[in-house]
Amino acid sequence: VLAKGQPEHGIVTTCAYCGVGCSFTAEMKGSEVIRMVPTKSGKANHGHSCVKGRFAFGYATHPDRIKKPMIREKISDPWREVSWDEAVTFAAGRFKALQSKYGRYSIGGITSSRCTNEETYLVQKLIRAAFGNNNVDTCARVCHSPTGYGLKRTLGESAGTQDFDSVMQSDVIMVIGANPTDGHPVFGSLMRKRLRQGAKLIVVDPRRIDLIKSPHVQADYHLQLQPGTNVALLNALAYVIVTEGLANEHFIDKRCDLHAYAKWKTFISHHRHAPEAVEKAIGVPAETIRSAARLYATGGNAAIYYGLGVTEHSQGSTTVMGIANLAMLTGNIGREGVGVNPLRGQNNVQGSCDMGSFPHEFPGYRSVADHATRELFEQAWGVSLEAEPGLRIPNMFSAALDGSFKGLYVEGEDIAQSDPDIQHVHAALSAMECVVVQDLFLNETAKFAHVFFPGSSFLEKNGTFTNAERRISPVRKVMPPLAGKEDWEVTQLLANALGYPMNYSHPSEIMDEIARLTPTFTGVSYAKLEEMGSIQWPCNADAPDGTPLMHTKHFVRGQGLFVLTEYVPTPERTTAKYPLILTTGRILSQYNVGAQTRRTENVAWHDEDRLEIHPSDAELRGIKAGDWVGIKSRAGETVLRALISERMQPGVVYTTFHFPQSGANVITTDNSDWATNCPEYKVTAVQVMPVSVS
Ligand code: SF4
């Protein structure tokens, strides 16, 4: 940094990595960013940052960046650099030809949680208005789609209930399937601050995450459950609260649907949910479950924070609803220090869902089947719109293999690395006749593409991201786009080439349209963001300055709804051939598929994915630290280096998925959540054995 000299000016923007959404000043010398400095006025981070946000911006100018559009007839042909005009005309021509030959539903698009709200909004508009179908989905499908489903059904809104600062009023913090000190480091630090002040901690995780014991923090309970048993555990916690008379009946009387509650109470009081009945399946002693339930119900303000260890299961949506049930049961919702708080993985998971990038919902989580909503969008967009939901990502892959889905536009998402059962994804992409990839780098998906549109990094465009606390924050252009176009401009060019006119001159106009059409956003504008710095939606006439806490007086759906959450074990089973359970996650210095962080100096902290294995499992197999091991599942096999660790429990192994060569998703299965198809990344039966690698 010193070698780069003193900054000449700074521009405030928002981190492009995790769902904390830290505010930074990009300090510039000319058009070069020389460092990123967290801003004290940033309401999500109050001047703090982590190694990703602070140091990992170098990918924006990495030599691997593609700066020219490229096309090729077949994926076996070499790429040919062309003008923007030629590339867009080529893509539009192919899409139109596919629709004439195979019909309107034969093409679709995928947007990403790395895109801004404005970009995502435009992609779903392109698909609905220009493609003429609802075949649009987002990578939230593979992470937090169960959150959208579960929280909407129980509470009425597909979003977390609190702001981050609320944790400082918590007396009890329950962390389920999340690793905040690695995955959401700045919020993880805030949580640890509250724990150091004396808040109690319950951790529900198959792995011994760092939060359990760190300087001046010691979890009161670590419920080290078997992967795949979240629902059984949540039901057991609820059973104890109900049968021991610890429910907050006053809150329930006032705030919840009493008919649904009575039905649920009968369901949950059955002895099959008792801790003693399920302790063996869950792997946690009944008395520990009882003690944790008593602490959550009676310990004061109790907040639940959860992550992908909740959602990425065959019962992900059921688990989210089980969490909402617990919060309503104990009255832990609607004030500071409590609530149900999904920790979003990527920077704009919340925003990509808010912006209608699901095949069944318009922006603001309104059904495409609803006549009045459809009419609103039809009038605004000047086209008639499809009432039937479109294809989800996994359905697009299946339809491609059936021969009915032929073309895909993918913006900012590396589906050929990040999606489960990757062989299936590769076969589906190979079967398509036109794959258009818009990204910073020639990623794994680009290997299957016919058109490559070079994307723009967060430093090269204007827009907004929405973090895990529903906070909309500005993303500001600090340098010109390396390929000459911001991502939203490329989508607009494609729409126009397809014959659907789009004429925005700045992303602020896209936000104005979002605000006009989305009741929770009516008060949001770039002018308001300049004035306030950031805004938490809903922001409208009822809440002109936004909403830090939701459901304070009544639930968004009116009365809170208790939903029956029967535990159905995952179809994935261990056997003598596949005796261990593999679960996956990520590490502090790297970010998801690593496309960005692998191209920065952060590889100094972590340069390969490893297989974490308990010493007893390693010893049984003759595996020593650093040995190469083969990992085989019913879906596929790969090779990783072993990391022997007491963080694991016997019978469970763990890996990250930041490096394409590690092939973590070669092994994961195609099991998915019953309601949303979110893949079950967290439970794969595997065998592990030493191998020699020359
Ligand atoms: Fe970026 Fe998340 Fe780190 Fe904040 S905590 S700097 S948003 S990666």
Side-chain angles (χ1 to χ4, degrees), residues 218-277:
Q218 169 79 57
D220 296 270
Y221 299 102
H222 176 202
L223 310 182
Q224 194 168 15
L225 76 180
Q226 281 294 305
T229 60
N230 285 332
V231 173
L233 177 69
L234 289 165
N235 284 346
L237 293 170
Y239 173 92
V240 174
I241 293 167
V242 167
T243 56
E244 295 191 6
L246 305 177
N248 188 336
E249 299 288 352
H250 176 69
F251 177 90
I252 295 163
D253 270 355
K254 224 167 99 191
R255 301 284 305 270
C256 298
D257 178 328
L258 294 180
H259 177 68
Y261 175 58
K263 213 166 141 198
W264 178 84
K265 198 171 176 183
T266 307
F267 158 81
I268 207 71
S269 305
H270 193 278
H271 56 77
R272 73 180 182 283
H273 301 305
E276 292 71 18

Side-chain angles (χ1 to χ4, degrees), residues 110-125:
I110 298 173
T111 175
S112 164
S113 304
R114 293 183 216 175
C115 298
T116 63
N117 287 316
E118 294 76 0
E119 288 159 1
T120 300
Y121 175 85
L122 228 52
V123 170
Q124 62 87 36
K125 181 172 178 179

Side-chain angles (χ1 to χ4, degrees), residues 105-343:
Y105 305 103
S106 61
I107 63 173
I110 298 173
T111 175
S112 164
S113 304
R114 293 183 216 175
C115 298
T116 63
N117 287 316
E118 294 76 0
E119 288 159 1
T120 300
Y121 175 85
L122 228 52
V123 170
Q124 62 87 36
K125 181 172 178 179
L126 169 91
I127 306 301
R128 299 192 205 283
F131 285 15
N133 64 46
N134 285 318
N135 292 336
V136 59
D137 210 350
T138 163
C139 59
R141 170 71 50 214
V142 300
C143 67
H144 266 289
S145 50
T147 290
Y149 177 90
L151 296 187
K152 174 130 190 176
R153 186 146 173 227
T154 49
L155 312 180
E157 191 58 271
S158 301
T161 62
Q162 313 294 117
D163 61 354
F164 290 141
D165 288 349
S166 158
V167 77
M168 295 309 288
Q169 308 301 322
S170 297
D171 302 307
V172 178
I173 297 170
M174 191 187 297
V175 177
I176 310 181
N179 186 3
T181 53
D182 273 21
H184 305 85
V186 167
F187 177 66
S189 294
L190 187 69
M191 184 186 275
R192 282 185 43 193
K193 184 174 172 187
R194 182 60 187 156
L195 292 167
R196 285 197 302 274
Q197 290 174 351
K200 304 284 185 194
L201 175 63
I202 302 166
V203 172
V204 179
D205 203 293
R207 195 162 160 262
R208 206 177 155 73
I209 57 171
D210 290 346
L211 189 64
I212 288 165
K213 191 165 171 42
S214 55
H216 311 292
V217 171
Q218 169 79 57
D220 296 270
Y221 299 102
H222 176 202
L223 310 182
Q224 194 168 15
L225 76 180
Q226 281 294 305
T229 60
N230 285 332
V231 173
L233 177 69
L234 289 165
N235 284 346
L237 293 170
Y239 173 92
V240 174
I241 293 167
V242 167
T243 56
E244 295 191 6
L246 305 177
N248 188 336
E249 299 288 352
H250 176 69
F251 177 90
I252 295 163
D253 270 355
K254 224 167 99 191
R255 301 284 305 270
C256 298
D257 178 328
L258 294 180
H259 177 68
Y261 175 58
K263 213 166 141 198
W264 178 84
K265 198 171 176 183
T266 307
F267 158 81
I268 207 71
S269 305
H270 193 278
H271 56 77
R272 73 180 182 283
H273 301 305
E276 292 71 18
V278 289
E279 63 179 341
K280 203 160 158 232
I282 297 173
V284 177
E287 200 41 50
T288 309
I289 298 172
R290 285 188 177 274
S291 303
R294 289 171 197 139
L295 175 60
Y296 176 74
T298 64
N301 285 342
I304 298 178
Y305 292 87
Y306 71 86
L308 303 183
V310 158
T311 54
E312 290 178 343
H313 285 277
S314 58
Q315 282 205 288
S317 293
T318 316
T319 314
V320 172
M321 293 188 289
I323 288 171
N325 286 345
L326 265 193
M328 290 187 288
L329 181 64
T330 51
N332 276 311
I333 206 142
R335 61 180 191 280
E336 294 267 13
V338 300
V340 175
N341 304 283
L343 294 173

Side-chain angles (χ1 to χ4, degrees), residues 12-24:
V12 175
T13 189
T14 303
C15 181
Y17 288 117
C18 86
V20 177
C22 295
S23 174
F24 279 88

Side-chain angles (χ1 to χ4, degrees), residues 182 585-592 594 597-598 600-612 643 654-659 662:
D182 273 21
R586 60 190 198 187
I587 202 160
L588 172 63
S589 61
Q590 290 292 321
Y591 178 69
N592 287 4
T597 45
R598 276 187 281 114
T600 70
E601 288 166 14
N602 280 34
V603 289
W605 281 285
H606 182 83
D607 60 358
E608 64 176 357
D609 296 315
R610 293 195 169 204
L611 186 83
E612 278 188 39
L643 177 66
Y654 169 87
T655 191
T656 49
F657 51 90
H658 303 305
F659 293 82
S662 69

